[in-house]
Amino acid sequence: MGRFVNPDNSAFQVALNSEIYVDKTGLLAYTNKVLETKQALICNSRPRRFGKSMAADMLTGYYSKGADSAKMFSGYEIGGTQDFQEHLNKYDVIHLDIQWCMMAAGSPEATLAYITKNVIAELNLLYANLSLANEKTIYGALSVIHAATKQKFIIIIDEWDVFIRDEAMNTSIQDEYINFLRGLFKGAEPEKYLALAYLTGILPIKKIKTQSALNNFDEFTMLSPGPLAPYFGFTEAEVQNLCTQYEVNFAEVKRWYDGYLLEDEHIYNPKAVVSVMLRKKFQSYWSQTGTYETIVPLINMDFDGLKAAILEMLSGENVSIRTKLYQNDVVTFKNKNDVMTLLVHLGYLAYIQDEQLAYIPNEEIRTEFLDAVEENDWDEFFDFRKLSTGVLEATLNMDADAVAAALEAVHREYASVIKYNDENSLSSVLAIAYLSSLKYYFKPIRELPTGRGFADFVFLPKQKYMADYPALVVELKWNKDAHTAIEQIKEKQYPASIVQYNGNVLLVGISYDKKTKRHECVIEKC
């Protein structure tokens, strides 16, 4: 066994030794299925802290000839599959962590030479009867080995995109790296010597113009996870099991850390979930320094509509996004869509694939956005927050006229791009107007089923504010008066299911008259 060729399984053993390990060996059933097929080249990109390196270590521990992993895997999901033994520790595996190799090499420019030198040296030891001394490339050495032995290889690359992210302006090293990858994975020879390739990182494969630089790879991303969706993080069922085991309130975990809807799976950030299980404290577990350095340069870009979109998403709204033209790097931005698409890949936004909508996924990420915006002194945000605070205070004071006047101001000053055509546009302005509520309330729930109907908005106070802040049930009416909205709330018994608030509920009816262009508000205590 070597450092890069046929490593042992010790890295994955560290994950298994941890107090909390959630079985993700089902991913191996998928890779077993695609071994030595046209689908055997996989790029699986996902955000930091979503288990990328653990998956790479798991694949290495399972396939590498340098490990003896029967006992390690037999008790997990993969151990019950029919082909478990067939592929277990049967392949020569090359495992590269590009981030680590760059540090070991001493510089980005020296990294590929460092990798090539060390991998060929280990291959030379493994296949001492072959003449590899004159081979200058890894792919050349693999071709020679396969021609002589028919041996096929599995190549696993962790942090594959580090040059694209950390050396964003160094086009020469990026070009050299892309050519390095093409040599390994593209063409007739790689098809002969590759059984499987698995690349993992934050970004999908870099595009050259509109095409992927490695267009023979199947890509599984935060935009389109496909059948790998359950392995992007913790599923809801897995989180529910942990909550039961560690006696943590699942509803609170869901509010704080749910929100990534990948295919039909609700996916949770593994690091956040493990942290809240062990610490029993609901807070953001993102790195504050990393968040600030990542978000601020992006949201400050001078693209039309970007800041307005951020404010809308902070308020709980979904925003339309076009993702196809993003170049999968951190420098080529043409408009707000490119910026938001990168934020999806980074995990700071979530994405509804069928509707092409972006949104802030949960309370943890909303906290990070709010901190970034506040620390960066957005003038627009401070002025707006002052007005939004007035909306909330007027609502809590049951000052309906002040709420109506504030809604007029929000539409006039901050949401003028939203055309009032129907009730949906009115709801967008309302969500923005109540942005300041997010300090005390969770993200507003849209169309919460309550009683015999659906409330347009329900604001539920966070647990520590429940004694002081009422729940808000808001009904909107288009070209009807606000009293009609209140009567609808009563008729449909909207507050009936909010029993945990012991009657501490305010009913808020809001209307807009298209002819007079005036808002009206009525507030009653339930």
Side-chain angles (χ1 to χ4, degrees):
M1 67 184 69
R3 290 191 300 164
F4 306 115
V5 180
N6 288 343
D8 61 19
N9 57 23
S10 57
F12 186 55
Q13 185 63 56
V14 173
L16 298 181
N17 292 344
S18 302
E19 180 174 339
I20 295 177
Y21 169 73
V22 173
D23 184 3
K24 291 295 177 180
T25 61
L27 175 62
L28 294 166
Y30 178 84
T31 54
N32 282 346
K33 183 176 71 173
V34 300
L35 281 169
E36 300 187 36
T37 71
K38 289 289 188 180
Q39 289 72 48
L41 276 66
I42 298 167
C43 183
N44 181 198
S45 57
R46 39 182 148 156
R48 286 189 177 95
R49 312 176 321 140
F50 273 69
K52 298 185 302 297
S53 295
M54 190 201 71
D57 293 337
M58 177 181 71
L59 289 163
T60 298
Y62 177 75
Y63 288 115
S64 174
K65 287 182 177 179
D68 181 2
S69 304
K71 184 177 179 181
M72 170 180 280
F73 285 99
S74 60
Y76 294 104
E77 181 180 345
I78 188 62
T81 60
Q82 187 173 359
D83 57 358
F84 169 57
Q85 292 286 347
E86 179 182 350
H87 305 294
L88 179 68
N89 304 134
K90 296 295 197 319
Y91 287 89
D92 284 335
V93 172
I94 299 174
H95 182 142
L96 303 173
D97 180 336
I98 303 299
Q99 181 84 60
W100 187 92
C101 289
M102 186 166 68
M103 292 187 296
S107 72
E109 290 75 15
T111 304
L112 296 181
Y114 171 88
I115 292 172
T116 300
K117 175 184 175 182
N118 282 278
V119 170
I120 290 179
E122 291 188 20
L123 289 171
N124 205 26
L125 289 175
L126 187 62
Y127 291 94
N129 59 322
L130 300 179
S131 178
L132 302 177
N134 294 325
E135 294 302 323
K136 305 298 184 185
T137 64
I138 297 172
Y139 47 87
L142 297 181
S143 178
V144 169
I145 294 169
H146 178 265
T149 67
K150 304 305 178 187
Q151 175 65 44
K152 291 205 168 189
F153 289 80
I154 290 176
I155 300 178
I156 298 166
I157 300 183
D158 193 9
E159 300 285 0
W160 89 267
D161 57 338
V162 69
F163 287 122
I164 312 301
R165 291 184 285 110
D166 294 356
E167 297 298 315
M169 305 307 295
N170 192 341
T171 56
S172 61
I173 188 61
Q174 288 192 30
D175 289 344
E176 183 184 356
Y177 181 53
I178 293 297
N179 287 332
F180 170 83
L181 295 176
R182 282 173 167 164
L184 279 176
F185 301 123
K186 286 201 68 156
E189 282 303 304
E191 285 194 347
K192 297 175 185 176
Y193 63 67
L194 280 175
L196 178 76
Y198 185 88
L199 275 56
T200 188
I202 295 173
L203 295 177
I205 294 171
K206 166 80 174 146
K207 290 181 181 177
I208 308 298
K209 295 184 179 179
T210 60
Q211 296 295 320
S212 169
L214 297 170
N215 57 10
N216 54 336
F217 271 74
D218 277 357
E219 295 205 58
F220 304 90
T221 73
M222 295 295 283
L223 297 174
S224 182
L228 300 193
Y231 310 110
F232 270 62
F234 289 173
T235 66
E236 189 148 278
E238 291 164 347
V239 174
Q240 286 176 320
N241 289 337
L242 288 173
C243 287
T244 300
Q245 180 181 349
Y246 284 86
E247 299 181 339
V248 175
N249 187 310
F250 171 71
E252 287 296 300
V253 173
K254 185 174 179 64
R255 288 190 184 108
W256 269 93
Y257 308 111
D258 185 21
Y260 302 97
L261 185 60
L262 304 184
E263 303 298 343
D264 295 326
E265 295 281 357
H266 284 264
I267 296 297
Y268 293 67
N269 183 317
K271 176 63 167 62
V273 172
V274 168
S275 296
V276 78
M277 295 299 141
L278 298 179
R279 300 186 186 188
K280 304 291 193 294
K281 186 174 179 62
F282 292 97
Q283 63 181 35
S284 173
Y285 290 101
W286 288 75
S287 165
Q288 293 180 353
T289 301
T291 296
Y292 186 82
E293 292 176 350
T294 300
I295 287 182
V296 169
L298 295 173
I299 64 177
N300 278 333
M301 289 187 172
D302 189 23
F303 290 122
D304 185 42
L306 178 59
K307 288 188 176 181
I310 298 298
L311 285 176
E312 284 190 64
M313 289 187 288
L314 279 171
S315 305
E317 290 291 283
N318 299 337
V319 174
S320 178
I321 179 176
R322 296 189 303 273
T323 63
K324 289 186 178 180
L325 297 182
Y326 173 57
Q327 295 295 296
N328 297 341
D329 61 28
V330 295
V331 292
T332 310
F333 301 107
K334 295 179 180 178
N335 51 48
K336 69 173 184 179
N337 291 297
D338 290 345
V339 175
M340 290 195 296
T341 303
L342 174 57
L343 288 170
V344 171
H345 289 303
L346 293 171
Y348 290 106
L349 294 179
Y351 180 67
I352 303 174
Q353 185 175 359
D354 292 342
E355 301 176 49
Q356 297 184 345
L357 295 173
Y359 60 97
I360 294 175
N362 52 46
E363 191 67 22
E364 181 183 38
I365 302 301
R366 185 170 289 102
T367 299
E368 295 298 313
F369 263 105
L370 286 170
D371 288 347
V373 168
E374 288 185 1
E375 289 182 29
N376 201 46
D377 295 332
W378 267 20
D379 292 337
E380 301 93 335
F381 179 77
F382 283 110
D383 292 343
F384 173 73
R385 186 175 62 175
K386 183 177 179 180
L387 179 56
S388 177
T389 300
V391 175
L392 179 61
E393 289 177 352
T395 303
L396 298 177
N397 292 331
M398 300 181 66
D399 188 344
D401 291 340
V403 172
L407 286 172
E408 297 272 5
V410 170
H411 182 237
R412 182 176 62 251
E413 300 294 334
Y414 299 97
S416 58
V417 295
I418 298 176
K419 305 299 182 185
Y420 266 18
N421 296 316
D422 53 29
E423 206 165 281
N424 289 330
S425 54
L426 174 59
S427 70
S428 296
V429 169
L430 181 106
I432 295 172
Y434 278 95
L435 174 62
S436 65
S437 71
L438 295 177
K439 179 177 180 181
Y440 310 102
Y441 292 83
F442 288 107
K443 171 185 172 182
I445 303 170
R446 302 290 298 270
E447 297 189 345
L448 177 72
T450 53
R452 295 197 298 263
F454 292 84
D456 286 333
F457 283 87
V458 174
F459 294 82
L460 300 179
K462 297 176 183 177
Q463 190 169 18
K464 62 181 177 180
Y465 298 115
M466 284 176 59
D468 301 314
Y469 286 81
L472 308 177
V473 179
V474 184
E475 180 72 19
L476 307 177
K477 285 300 170 189
W478 177 258
N479 277 339
K480 295 180 182 178
D481 63 56
H483 291 279
T484 303
I486 291 291
E487 290 306 313
Q488 183 170 320
I489 294 175
K490 294 177 179 178
E491 176 187 341
K492 294 189 175 180
Q493 301 177 11
Y494 285 168
S497 70
I498 314 178
V499 294
Q500 67 266 45
Y501 295 98
N502 299 320
N504 190 15
V505 180
L506 288 183
L507 313 181
V508 184
I510 295 173
S511 67
Y512 178 77
D513 189 298
K514 189 175 182 180
K515 290 183 179 179
T516 63
K517 300 188 185 304
R518 293 193 60 185
H519 297 80
E520 183 184 14
C521 179
V522 175
I523 303 174
E524 293 184 8
K525 189 162 187 174
C526 178

